[in-house]
Amino acid sequence: MYLYLFTGDITQKGYEKKRSKLIRAYVPHAGGMEGPMSHRAPLGPPAAARFHRRRTSGTRDERYRSDVHTEAVQAVLARHVERKVAVPMPSKRRSLVVQTSMDAYTPPDSSSGSDEEAGPGDDMSGMEHWMSRPSQLGPVHLGSTSSSSSSTQSGGSGNAGRLADSLAHARISHLAHTHLAHTHLGQSHHQQSHLSQSHHGKTGSVDLTGLGNKHNLVLACVCVCVCVCVVFITGVPVSSRVSAKIQQLVNTLKQPRRPPLREFFVDDFDELLEVQQPDPNQPRPEGAEMIPVRGEALGVVTNWPPSLEAALQRWGTISPKAPCLTSLDTAGKPLYVLTYGKLWSRSIKLAYNILHKLGSKQEPMVRPGDRVALVFPNNDPVAFMVAFYGCLLADVVPVPIEVLETSWPKLLWFVTESKHLSKPPRDWFPHIKDANNDTAYIEYKTCKDGSVLGVTVTRIALLTHCQALTQSCSYTEAETIVNVLDFKKDVGLWHGILTSVMNMMHVISVPYSLMKVNPLSWIQKVCQYKAKVACVKSRDMHWALVAHKDQKDINLSSLRMLLVADGSNPWSISSCDAFLNVFQTKGLRAEVICPCASSPEALTVAIRRPVEDSSQPPGRGVLSMQGLTYGVVRVDTEERLSVLTVQDVGTVTPGGLVCVVKPEGVPQLCQTDEIGELCVCSVATGTSYYGLTGMTKNTFEVYPVSSSGGLISEYAFVRTGLLGFIGPGGLVFITGKMDGLIMVSGRRHNADDIVATALAVEPMKFVYRGRIAVFSVTVLRDERIVVVAEQRPDSTEEDSFQWMSRVLQAIDSIHGVGVFCLALVPANTLPKTPLGGIHLSEIKQLYLEGGLHPCNVLMCPHTCVTNLPKPRQKQPEIGPASVMVGNLVSGKRIAQASGRDLGQTDDNDQVKHFLFLSEVLQWRAQTTPDHVLYTLLSSRGAVSSSLTCLQLHKRAERVAALLMERGGLQEGDHVALVYPPGIDLIAAFYGCLYAGCVPITVRPPHPQNISTTLPTVKMIVEVSHSACVMTTAVICKLLRSKEAMATVDIRNWPPVLDTDDLPKKKPPALYKPTNPDGLAYLDFSVSTTGMLAGVQMSHNAVGAFCRSVKLQCELYPSREVAICLDPYCGLGFVLWCLCSVYSGHQSILIPPVELESNPALWLLAVSQMRVRDTFCSYSVMELCTKGLGLQTEALKARGLDLSRVRACVVVAEERPRMSLTHSFSKLFKDLGLHPRSVSTAFGCRVNLAICLQGTSGPDPTTVYVDMRALRHDRVRLVERGSPHSLPLMESGKILPGVRIIIANPETKGPLGDSHLGEIWVHSAHNGSGYYSGYGEEVLQSDHFNSRLSFGDTQTVWARTGYLGFLRRTELTDANGERHDALFVVGALEEAMELRGMRYHPIDIETSVIRAHKSIMECAVFPWTNLLVVVVELEGSEQEALDLVPMVTKAVLEEHYLIVGVVVVTDIGVIPINSRGEKQRMHLRDGFLQDQLDPIYVAYNM
């Protein structure tokens, strides 16, 4: 499975150019050529320019470097270059590229230690010191040679080494020196075990300082360092056509990714994710069962002390002048020499003070066995050593911890400096016992998830471990040992603090602050003190390699043992080889290099002995990387690209028994050629995780079994957390750590190996090599790999993207695994451990929370998510008869329902005798002239105007006179009414009816936004063929303004009549309509897909509509109804203008625009006027929910009471927004609003109101349907809260006189009620057809005059264009029959066909909005076969890229869809129409025409 990527042209010339660019890094430059970076201007002050900083990208992280591996990666990438497939680069807004916050860029480290320590120059505390003393530079900054030379075993690597050397000479950059040349140290997964304790509340974490006894004590001394730096960054403008990029992406996706699927998804509901089938050809272990390997017997030496304290007492009294520990300052000079006499006396003094000076004699504060935290900086080993032994003598348990930057728990602080302590009486001595099973100390480790565990080590284990190390390393009295490691834990503690005292050795402790300034310091100390032993990590060897040039007087012949603490990391081998190659000429012997394997739980597991006989070379294995992913050892003989070279870590420590067990499940012994977890049985191991009995049992009390099931030993083993195997001759080989293991599709990958591959990609100049984190996240029930790296501030967008693409290719090819997400973050922004390494668990947590703030992201879900459900294949259509029979057999009824009959009305209803609404108004003006029909409220809530029946009649007459006289209009002419919401609009409407004209209500242009709103007005006026426009004086003026003239051509407007100045006289005669099927008015609106349509409403339909609403809502002249809707189309217009005249009730009109200045206006009006029924839109409801959320108490004080409301209906043309209606109900429940009173209505183009809750009848029903079934057009009810459940609310009761059937939109056949289909409606108030000057007869007959293809083929139906389903409920209607509920799911034209399934945008949008707190709004649409997600970002632009992985993951998990493009925009970019509905097609057009000005566009590859 390959991922082909390439950016560039496809000509031969382009190919040659690209090839030479790629190979350039591996060809020696001609002498005198400048380095590739030499043309860059200096970045810093000119004064600093004389300190040349070597471009660190020229060298590679030695710990992860292997020439074979680098060559393999290059070969793979060269293959990819052959195939040229362009992948679109993400687009980024310029403001995001040109980073504005300069202070965010402190120069970052270029490396991190193999575990947790930072590289030289990581923090700048040593910088001023370095700058001010050039004499101290010594040979360090002058060295420019790469350390790429590696062992001769690496197949031609000698040449590679020379090549790299010559390259490095050409690479001295002319950048100002900001900090010491530093190397790229890759970051291994190991730092898991060395993270700070700042994680509170994580599972399994233990506060080591606060458990058990209430008395807590901290020995402390504090140091602070400050660093200040500035780095400048330049920006790149990014401009490109979006559509071209999408096309590019589509072409990429056409590449065959996987073999075609054998079978296709069958339409049942067991829609399981595809299970990865095991590869029949995968390698399997073939060896015999392994036999546990025993270390040599622990020799009983007569003069070994009975305990470590006894050893201290012995040396402190018989050799008090012997040096024990020398600490150094940052200049490398001895700061303090601690003798054994001083250590003994100061430890006694401290023990006495702990036991007798805290608390009182009756109530001592500290008792034996209490835990005491040791808090010392990393450059003060002397104080730490005194404190540690003081605790041992006082019989309390020392817990070495890091200096925390966060807040501390409540503790007693106790300073250990001698001047603060009381002298013990002369006769006082601590009681020194033989080593026993009491806890000696607790060493902390940090788990993969960031939680902290304390490993308890008993006194007997401590002593036995020291004895085993003494025997393995052949330590003798008074030897000198140089220790570069952290002395507070692990190998540094075991050798430099404990074993050294047992053997009266002299430790030279090299602090990290010195290593940062002078990486050669440890070698200089070895030479100066003629040290026999040095304890280092592979990166210390690497830094020495980088810095050793021109250092003349190095002589390492005194070393008999160079202990490599991280030698178990397979990637340390190249550092060891390169170090030996260079320093063999300086007296270093090959057999001196001794890697060891250790873990916090098992202490030292294996160690290579310093042997005198150098004829026996160390063990090496070149293993197949593919074999390792299946847990099998296969020596790679075919010279393939993906190999891992491992070295042995010697033999099992004396007194230990080691076996290898399967990593998962029962601890069964592995076969000899199988990778497993090493387990150790020995006295010298940890005994428990402090305070965690369950976890202790799983780790420290393991009983391995053989394949037959029998125990291999009666003693318990301890899991080491190390993965490996036992090779020939009992040599131990380690291939990785359990903590770094990533299981993807049943194969194991090691995070370190992936880091190494990323680092082997050509040395580009824009990522910090040692600051790379690799971890896995669970997406869609499998682990997915995430790579996060720090990017240099001076790298270009294109460079970064190139590097990212190449890393993806390399990992895909070498490891056979896809990367889910590759993110680059700004320099120095990844969380660090106390010693400066990258903090893996915190980085992962930030990624999961969407808080990484990357500056570049590349998502590759297409390549790595291979377990999506199979795409649905459409089955051949089944004939009509079969469907009928199938439904009958399965007992499913045809999905149809109807409202009650319109004929069942009371006989004293006078209005039903009138055929025309104009006649009803005239009748009301005669019979009830003073009855108020309309009341309009101002933004303050006061009545701004009202109309009685007679006033409305008179004004309508004068409007009719105006039309006839000034307009000279004929019967049947169309008139556009451009009015703000109010009473003028109503008078103008009835005036048109009186004059025999056809009114069209049009929303007026917005004065602040003429350029976008006026063209719509013009378009409606033109399409409707309006003979004149009626409006107010203010709008008249607006239509003739300069802005209007600039937007549209106003010369071809029809005549504009101003109705503010009406004629006083009546028209000669009112128009008497004769044809009830004639046109009453045109209803123009823009659909969500951006289509403008005018629907013809006949006089018959208007009468039936008003009658239906009157019956459903029980409207009578005595009733009052509050309406907060836009009066321009649909049910909003009917309620605002028509219903009051028909039913005689009073309408209180509240223009929604007034709520922007006074959000409480609508609800206060409802409360004060004691209204029982009110209508609003979703935008009004949202405005109230957001605007009044915090004001409910204040509103209550103002007397707002909603307890009288029995129907609050939301008028909409969409699926009910349940979350909004629920929020609204919940928010105003305290103000008396009954939740059951809130309901929705549903209407559409062909029928303006199909459902409306009304006043009587059962409450709205809510059901939960399976979202996966819905994608297959099936309705399957599930329980609330079940996975993949989608709540749907009934859209209101079906109106009287309305019949509904659910039909298949393709075949036009009726469906059963378990199917999702198109809602078809038959009703007297259906529209008569579309009005357009173009006569689209086919569309008209299809939408308004459809017939079923079988079943009832006579009835004429109108197609709503909405998908939904009917459900017969347990409730009963007013007429005693079981109630049928209609559920609207979504618009047919907006539904998306993806992977053979039907998706509704709103469902995906809901998931996306939940994905991250900064997502304000979201809209999705399909483009070709890609899903495009547009999100509005609420927050800083730096957060934009956090959204990309979050959105991609949310849609994958919840909808099994891969997002093709993620567009991050500012708030307000997603267009919304007057009904509050998203205009997704407008958005799509804007995106494809590059008009959105997005903050970021990510193309998921």
Side-chain angles (χ1 to χ4, degrees):
M1 184 176 69
Y2 287 109
L3 167 62
Y4 302 133
L5 297 168
F6 188 71
T7 53
D9 50 39
I10 307 188
T11 61
Q12 181 65 23
K13 186 177 172 187
Y15 166 70
E16 295 297 340
K17 188 175 165 186
K18 188 75 185 171
R19 186 170 171 274
S20 61
K21 186 178 172 185
L22 296 178
I23 295 172
R24 191 185 306 151
Y26 300 95
V27 179
H29 289 283
M33 267 181 70
E34 289 190 317
M37 293 301 295
S38 58
H39 63 276
R40 286 184 185 271
L43 288 180
R50 65 179 182 277
F51 296 109
H52 292 323
R53 182 178 79 174
R54 262 191 46 199
R55 266 317 272 192
T56 54
S57 36
T59 68
R60 283 200 294 289
D61 174 352
E62 270 311 316
R63 186 166 60 86
Y64 285 118
R65 217 201 98 269
S66 141
D67 286 327
V68 174
H69 194 59
T70 305
E71 287 161 17
V73 171
Q74 295 308 322
V76 162
L77 293 176
R79 265 192 213 162
H80 282 292
V81 172
E82 303 296 324
R83 303 181 175 88
K84 305 183 176 185
V85 177
V87 166
M89 201 177 121
S91 341
K92 196 182 278 190
R93 183 182 287 173
R94 184 159 189 158
S95 61
L96 202 58
V97 179
V98 185
Q99 293 280 5
T100 44
S101 69
M102 285 298 161
D103 53 340
Y105 282 97
T106 52
D109 19 348
S110 70
S111 67
S112 74
S114 62
D115 281 8
E116 73 289 0
E117 294 91 339
D122 279 4
D123 92 48
M124 304 302 293
S125 47
M127 191 180 90
E128 291 170 67
H129 168 80
W130 168 252
M131 297 290 265
S132 58
R133 297 168 52 254
S135 59
Q136 261 289 310
L137 292 177
V140 178
H141 75 291
L142 303 170
S144 60
T145 310
S146 162
S147 57
S148 297
S149 49
S150 181
S151 85
T152 46
Q153 292 195 349
S154 301
S157 59
N159 291 336
R162 286 196 293 283
L163 199 140
D165 279 0
S166 59
L167 249 176
H169 279 297
R171 283 240 174 129
I172 302 171
S173 93
H174 293 280
L175 287 170
H177 178 97
T178 48
H179 52 280
L180 172 62
H182 33 252
T183 58
H184 305 310
L185 280 168
Q187 177 53 43
S188 85
H189 241 52
H190 309 347
Q191 63 262 29
Q192 305 287 7
S193 49
H194 306 285
L195 303 176
S196 77
Q197 285 185 325
S198 56
H199 294 260
H200 301 304
K202 293 260 175 105
T203 326
S205 66
V206 177
D207 183 355
L208 300 174
T209 54
L211 268 169
N213 199 309
K214 64 181 184 294
H215 310 307
N216 294 314
L217 169 69
V218 176
L219 309 175
C221 103
V222 180
C223 79
V224 179
C225 57
V226 181
C227 60
V228 184
C229 283
V230 185
V231 174
F232 299 97
I233 175 166
T234 55
V236 246
V238 176
S239 64
S240 61
R241 298 286 293 173
V242 177
S243 41
K245 290 200 169 170
I246 294 187
Q247 200 46 55
Q248 230 179 324
L249 185 56
V250 173
N251 294 343
T252 318
L253 296 179
K254 283 178 186 163
Q255 297 291 319
R257 285 280 167 264
R258 290 180 284 170
L261 296 164
R262 293 173 301 290
E263 60 203 64
F264 291 98
F265 182 77
V266 184
D267 198 358
D268 61 5
F269 297 114
D270 302 321
E271 185 185 32
L272 295 171
L273 299 177
E274 218 178 316
V275 179
Q276 204 74 25
Q277 296 304 318
D279 179 359
N281 303 319
Q282 74 179 49
R284 289 183 169 79
E286 295 157 4
E289 188 170 83
M290 67 109 20
I291 300 161
V293 178
R294 198 175 287 283
E296 65 188 42
L298 196 55
V300 181
V301 182
T302 47
N303 66 344
W304 269 355
S307 68
L308 205 55
E309 305 94 293
L312 173 59
Q313 181 182 25
R314 178 178 169 191
W315 306 126
T317 48
I318 68 169
S319 308
K321 294 273 192 289
C324 168
L325 178 70
T326 300
S327 68
L328 307 173
D329 63 13
T330 46
K333 294 196 167 64
L335 194 65
Y336 185 84
V337 179
L338 181 70
T339 60
Y340 277 92
K342 272 281 179 218
L343 176 59
W344 171 239
S345 61
R346 285 177 63 181
S347 301
I348 287 178
K349 189 175 185 182
L350 185 60
Y352 173 77
N353 278 267
I354 289 173
L355 292 173
H356 296 93
K357 294 295 173 185
L358 299 173
S360 61
K361 274 187 179 174
Q362 291 74 34
E363 185 62 39
M365 185 168 267
V366 179
R367 295 194 175 89
D370 280 352
R371 271 86 41 230
V372 176
L374 307 190
V375 187
F376 293 91
N378 295 319
N379 56 4
D380 194 358
V382 172
F384 174 82
M385 196 169 191
V386 169
F388 193 93
Y389 281 100
C391 289
L392 289 184
L393 291 171
D395 213 10
V396 294
V397 179
V399 184
I401 63 174
E402 300 298 343
V403 181
L404 291 183
E405 292 170 12
T406 50
S407 57
W408 287 82
K410 197 171 181 188
L411 297 159
L412 169 69
W413 289 83
F414 184 70
V415 179
T416 60
E417 285 165 19
S418 229
K419 61 185 177 190
H420 299 296
L421 305 179
S422 313
K423 264 191 167 178
R426 290 205 166 172
D427 56 348
W428 188 84
F429 280 102
H431 174 53
I432 291 174
K433 301 179 285 193
D434 289 359
N436 57 15
N437 279 320
D438 293 347
T439 301
Y441 69 96
I442 295 175
E443 180 171 328
Y444 81 82
K445 71 162 273 188
T446 309
C447 303
K448 195 173 181 173
D449 63 355
S451 55
V452 178
L453 305 172
V455 177
T456 59
V457 180
T458 61
R459 289 171 178 255
I460 190 74
L462 166 64
L463 183 69
T464 312
H465 190 215
C466 288
Q467 292 169 351
L469 291 179
T470 302
Q471 185 169 324
S472 307
C473 304
S474 314
Y475 284 143
T476 54
E477 285 176 24
E479 273 192 314
T480 303
I481 175 170
V482 172
N483 180 31
V484 193
L485 306 173
D486 182 4
F487 52 78
K488 296 202 283 291
K489 61 174 187 233
D490 220 56
V491 181
L493 172 71
W494 306 331
H495 289 262
I497 301 288
L498 307 177
T499 311
S500 60
V501 168
M502 183 170 137
N503 295 293
M504 202 190 84
M505 291 156 72
H506 178 197
V507 179
I508 315 295
S509 188
V510 180
Y512 249 84
S513 47
L514 171 57
M515 285 293 287
K516 283 178 189 174
V517 179
N518 177 8
L520 267 186
S521 51
W522 71 270
I523 291 186
Q524 290 163 354
K525 293 303 151 200
V526 169
C527 303
Q528 185 183 336
Y529 287 92
K530 300 273 185 292
K532 294 284 183 72
V533 180
C535 297
V536 297
K537 283 193 174 171
S538 52
R539 43 101 221 271
D540 304 320
M541 300 160 82
H542 173 62
W543 292 341
L545 281 172
V546 174
H548 84 280
K549 290 290 175 192
D550 306 319
Q551 183 81 8
K552 297 284 186 286
D553 49 353
I554 294 179
N555 182 1
L556 300 180
S557 56
S558 66
L559 273 184
R560 66 174 187 80
M561 183 176 195
L562 180 56
L563 187 74
V564 187
D566 61 344
S568 62
N569 182 333
W571 297 99
S572 66
I573 188 167
S574 47
S575 292
C576 296
D577 291 348
F579 189 80
L580 180 63
N581 273 354
V582 170
F583 287 101
Q584 239 169 342
T585 56
K586 318 268 179 159
L588 182 71
R589 301 187 302 285
E591 65 275 11
V592 165
I593 295 177
C594 298
C596 72
S598 64
S599 78
E601 293 85 353
L603 309 185
T604 306
V605 178
I607 193 163
R608 199 190 287 173
R609 313 298 167 84
V611 288
E612 294 306 318
D613 173 25
S614 59
S615 61
Q616 185 199 356
R620 280 286 159 95
V622 180
L623 307 182
S624 153
M625 200 89 86
Q626 193 210 5
L628 289 175
T629 65
Y630 291 107
V632 177
V633 180
R634 286 286 176 272
V635 176
D636 198 286
T637 51
E638 300 168 25
E639 294 294 314
R640 280 222 306 276
L641 298 176
S642 47
V643 294
L644 180 70
T645 307
V646 290
Q647 64 178 347
D648 74 279
V649 286
T651 51
V652 177
T653 41
L657 177 67
V658 169
C659 67
V660 184
V661 302
K662 297 191 186 296
E664 293 94 25
V666 178
Q668 187 189 331
L669 288 183
C670 288
Q671 288 157 261
T672 49
D673 61 343
E674 191 177 0
I675 302 286
E677 184 178 9
L678 274 67
C679 293
V680 179
C681 177
S682 164
V683 179
T685 61
T687 50
S688 69
Y689 290 130
Y690 182 82
L692 298 168
T693 47
M695 290 180 75
T696 295
K697 204 166 183 60
N698 291 339
T699 304
F700 295 92
E701 297 167 28
V702 177
Y703 291 92
V705 294
S706 63
S707 53
S708 60
L711 291 180
I712 63 164
S713 165
E714 56 185 303
Y715 298 108
F717 281 67
V718 176
R719 289 186 183 272
T720 62
L722 300 172
L723 291 168
F725 60 97
I726 311 286
L731 294 179
V732 178
F733 289 87
I734 304 295
T735 57
K737 289 192 173 184
M738 288 292 287
D739 266 359
L741 210 56
I742 297 174
M743 284 287 282
V744 181
S745 305
R747 291 173 61 196
R748 303 181 202 153
H749 301 275
N750 209 295
D752 279 346
D753 301 349
I754 290 168
V755 170
T757 300
L759 292 173
V761 172
E762 57 172 332
M764 287 271 195
K765 303 175 181 56
F766 48 81
V767 292
Y768 287 95
R769 298 226 142 201
R771 316 266 317 147
I772 297 184
V774 171
F775 52 87
S776 67
V777 293
T778 307
V779 180
L780 216 59
R781 301 184 212 167
D782 200 357
E783 294 297 299
R784 315 287 176 194
I785 294 173
V786 178
V787 181
V788 182
E790 279 190 1
Q791 175 182 323
R792 295 183 181 280
D794 53 353
S795 63
T796 67
E797 292 291 302
E798 209 170 331
D799 282 348
S800 305
F801 182 71
Q802 282 280 358
W803 182 79
M804 291 162 91
S805 308
R806 294 172 67 78
V807 166
L808 295 174
Q809 291 163 16
I811 293 173
D812 190 53
S813 304
I814 286 188
H815 301 276
V817 65
V819 173
F820 180 65
C821 175
L822 175 51
L824 294 183
V825 298
N828 228 22
T829 55
L830 288 181
K832 295 180 183 176
T833 58
L835 289 172
I838 60 170
H839 200 316
L840 203 80
S841 57
E842 271 194 25
I843 294 170
K844 180 173 175 177
Q845 197 53 38
L846 281 175
Y847 171 85
L848 291 172
E849 291 165 359
L852 262 184
H853 306 333
C855 47
N856 263 308
V857 167
L858 207 48
M859 302 287 299
C860 308
H862 291 281
T863 47
C864 69
V865 180
T866 53
N867 62 334
L868 285 171
K870 296 164 187 170
R872 175 193 182 199
Q873 290 296 97
K874 286 281 171 72
Q875 303 299 326
E877 287 305 340
I878 300 152
S882 312
V883 173
M884 293 284 278
V885 172
N887 280 326
L888 286 169
V889 169
S890 59
K892 288 175 188 154
R893 64 187 200 97
I894 294 292
Q896 56 185 353
S898 54
R900 54 189 168 144
D901 191 2
L902 259 185
Q904 302 168 348
T905 56
D906 47 345
D907 289 331
N908 53 8
D909 182 6
Q910 297 291 310
V911 183
K912 71 173 183 181
H913 303 304
F914 297 108
L915 292 174
F916 304 100
L917 208 54
S918 51
E919 293 175 352
V920 176
L921 178 57
Q922 290 164 43
W923 172 72
R924 287 202 185 279
Q926 286 165 2
T927 54
T928 53
D930 299 326
H931 175 66
V932 177
L933 285 180
Y934 295 103
T935 306
L936 179 72
L937 299 188
S938 69
S939 60
R940 298 255 174 108
V943 176
S944 63
S945 56
S946 63
L947 276 181
T948 62
C949 299
L950 186 60
Q951 285 170 334
L952 176 56
H953 169 65
K954 292 238 166 119
R955 278 190 67 177
E957 280 185 326
R958 288 161 65 195
V959 170
L962 176 76
L963 285 170
M964 290 171 184
E965 282 179 22
R966 287 198 212 154
L969 296 188
Q970 307 298 311
E971 175 191 328
D973 279 347
H974 295 183
V975 179
L977 311 181
V978 186
Y979 287 93
I983 278 170
D984 290 346
L985 175 69
I986 301 166
F989 178 84
Y990 287 100
C992 288
L993 296 188
Y994 280 2
C997 298
V998 177
I1000 298 118
T1001 49
V1002 184
R1003 179 188 303 277
H1006 197 288
Q1008 268 80 52
N1009 199 1
I1010 284 187
S1011 60
T1012 53
T1013 53
L1014 188 59
T1016 311
V1017 177
K1018 184 82 168 21
M1019 190 159 74
I1020 294 174
V1021 169
E1022 283 175 358
V1023 171
S1024 64
H1025 296 124
S1026 294
C1028 85
V1029 175
M1030 283 207 293
T1031 184
T1032 62
V1034 175
I1035 295 172
C1036 246
K1037 197 174 169 187
L1038 189 65
L1039 293 178
R1040 296 195 175 100
S1041 66
K1042 280 184 185 172
E1043 292 95 327
M1045 287 167 78
T1047 307
V1048 298
D1049 183 5
I1050 60 165
R1051 286 172 303 183
N1052 52 12
W1053 280 99
V1056 178
L1057 301 180
D1058 167 12
T1059 55
D1060 285 4
D1061 178 25
L1062 288 173
K1064 295 280 182 278
K1065 59 182 178 180
K1066 290 200 298 186
L1070 292 184
Y1071 171 72
K1072 291 231 180 311
T1074 51
N1075 178 13
D1077 292 325
L1079 191 56
Y1081 73 97
L1082 285 176
D1083 188 285
F1084 265 91
S1085 69
V1086 180
S1087 72
T1088 51
T1089 51
M1091 299 299 292
L1092 177 71
V1095 173
Q1096 305 180 46
M1097 292 295 287
S1098 67
H1099 290 286
N1100 253 345
V1102 168
F1105 198 164
C1106 291
R1107 188 123 144 267
S1108 187
V1109 172
K1110 175 185 175 175
L1111 277 177
Q1112 192 83 329
C1113 300
E1114 298 174 2
L1115 299 176
Y1116 304 105
S1118 57
R1119 298 283 300 280
E1120 289 177 343
V1121 175
I1123 297 164
C1124 191
L1125 289 166
D1126 275 325
Y1128 299 109
C1129 60
L1131 183 55
F1133 165 74
V1134 174
L1135 290 167
W1136 189 282
C1137 284
L1138 312 184
C1139 285
S1140 273
V1141 169
Y1142 188 90
S1143 308
H1145 64 274
Q1146 181 183 347
S1147 290
I1148 296 154
L1149 308 176
I1150 305 156
V1153 70
E1154 304 290 9
L1155 266 70
E1156 288 172 17
S1157 56
N1158 179 9
L1161 172 65
W1162 168 49
L1163 295 177
L1164 283 169
V1166 167
S1167 168
Q1168 285 158 9
M1169 301 197 169
R1170 299 167 178 263
V1171 169
R1172 297 193 64 191
D1173 301 287
T1174 180
F1175 293 85
C1176 71
S1177 63
Y1178 279 123
S1179 31
V1180 165
M1181 194 171 262
E1182 194 165 25
L1183 199 65
C1184 291
T1185 311
K1186 286 183 177 170
L1188 306 175
L1190 303 171
Q1191 298 177 30
T1192 46
E1193 288 305 316
L1195 291 171
K1196 207 170 187 175
R1198 284 172 70 181
L1200 182 64
D1201 176 19
L1202 302 175
S1203 58
R1204 288 182 203 82
V1205 176
R1206 69 172 179 176
C1208 171
V1209 182
V1210 192
V1211 173
E1213 290 189 18
E1214 58 181 302
R1215 178 199 302 181
R1217 299 188 201 172
M1218 279 185 68
S1219 56
L1220 179 57
T1221 53
H1222 280 172
S1223 303
F1224 180 80
S1225 308
K1226 206 168 165 187
L1227 186 61
F1228 297 106
K1229 189 180 170 190
D1230 290 349
L1231 297 172
L1233 182 69
H1234 199 287
R1236 64 179 283 182
S1237 64
V1238 180
S1239 62
T1240 62
F1242 171 67
C1244 62
R1245 296 287 70 231
V1246 298
N1247 186 314
L1248 305 183
I1250 296 167
C1251 300
L1252 204 165
Q1253 185 58 34
T1255 48
S1256 61
D1259 291 346
T1261 316
T1262 297
V1263 294
Y1264 293 85
V1265 298
D1266 186 328
M1267 211 189 294
R1268 293 169 304 179
L1270 211 55
R1271 291 172 202 148
H1272 297 272
D1273 294 340
R1274 305 282 289 276
V1275 179
R1276 178 169 171 246
L1277 298 191
V1278 291
E1279 292 298 315
R1280 178 182 179 176
S1282 61
H1284 299 282
S1285 63
L1286 172 71
L1288 291 173
M1289 188 164 88
E1290 179 187 355
S1291 290
K1293 300 291 163 284
I1294 299 169
L1295 279 167
V1298 173
R1299 275 176 66 197
I1300 283 173
I1301 193 159
I1302 305 296
N1304 183 319
E1306 279 90 34
T1307 65
K1308 300 190 179 179
L1311 291 171
D1313 59 6
S1314 62
H1315 285 74
L1316 180 72
E1318 187 181 8
I1319 301 164
W1320 287 17
V1321 58
H1322 172 81
S1323 151
H1325 65 258
N1326 278 4
S1328 326
Y1330 289 124
Y1331 178 85
S1332 75
Y1334 316 113
E1336 293 169 0
E1337 296 302 324
V1338 181
L1339 190 66
Q1340 180 153 327
S1341 66
D1342 188 45
H1343 281 201
F1344 290 89
N1345 305 303
S1346 274
R1347 293 173 197 266
L1348 291 171
S1349 57
F1350 60 92
D1352 171 12
T1353 54
Q1354 296 309 305
T1355 310
V1356 175
W1357 302 88
R1359 299 180 61 171
T1360 63
Y1362 281 83
L1363 294 168
F1365 61 93
L1366 282 165
R1367 273 283 153 175
R1368 178 150 279 185
T1369 65
E1370 298 301 315
L1371 307 168
T1372 50
D1373 272 331
N1375 51 8
E1377 294 192 4
R1378 276 178 65 191
H1379 167 64
D1380 291 308
L1382 174 68
F1383 296 90
V1384 177
V1385 175
L1388 185 59
E1389 57 187 359
E1390 290 212 324
M1392 303 179 292
E1393 283 269 335
L1394 296 163
R1395 293 176 59 78
M1397 290 172 274
R1398 204 192 297 275
Y1399 286 88
H1400 298 276
I1402 184 70
D1403 298 326
I1404 297 174
E1405 288 160 2
T1406 304
S1407 302
V1408 169
I1409 287 171
R1410 282 200 305 253
H1412 194 279
K1413 62 181 188 300
S1414 297
I1415 298 176
M1416 181 75 173
E1417 187 53 272
C1418 162
V1420 303
F1421 53 81
W1423 172 245
T1424 61
N1425 59 342
L1426 295 175
L1427 176 66
V1428 181
V1429 176
V1430 180
V1431 291
E1432 291 182 354
L1433 170 71
E1434 182 182 35
S1436 75
E1437 288 188 358
Q1438 267 57 48
E1439 289 175 41
L1441 279 79
D1442 284 320
L1443 308 184
V1444 179
M1446 308 295 280
V1447 166
T1448 307
K1449 178 177 187 247
V1451 176
L1452 255 174
E1453 297 256 72
E1454 295 181 32
H1455 304 279
Y1456 305 152
L1457 282 179
I1458 291 176
V1459 177
V1461 185
V1462 181
V1463 185
V1464 185
T1465 67
D1466 298 310
I1467 290 177
V1469 166
I1470 296 171
I1472 287 176
N1473 67 13
S1474 58
R1475 297 188 295 277
E1477 297 160 342
K1478 295 171 193 166
Q1479 304 284 87
R1480 297 181 184 91
M1481 295 307 112
H1482 273 318
L1483 182 68
R1484 186 182 77 176
D1485 297 341
F1487 169 67
L1488 295 174
Q1489 289 156 18
D1490 223 4
Q1491 295 167 349
L1492 299 186
D1493 184 28
I1495 299 168
Y1496 190 79
V1497 182
Y1499 302 92
N1500 287 348
M1501 291 155 44

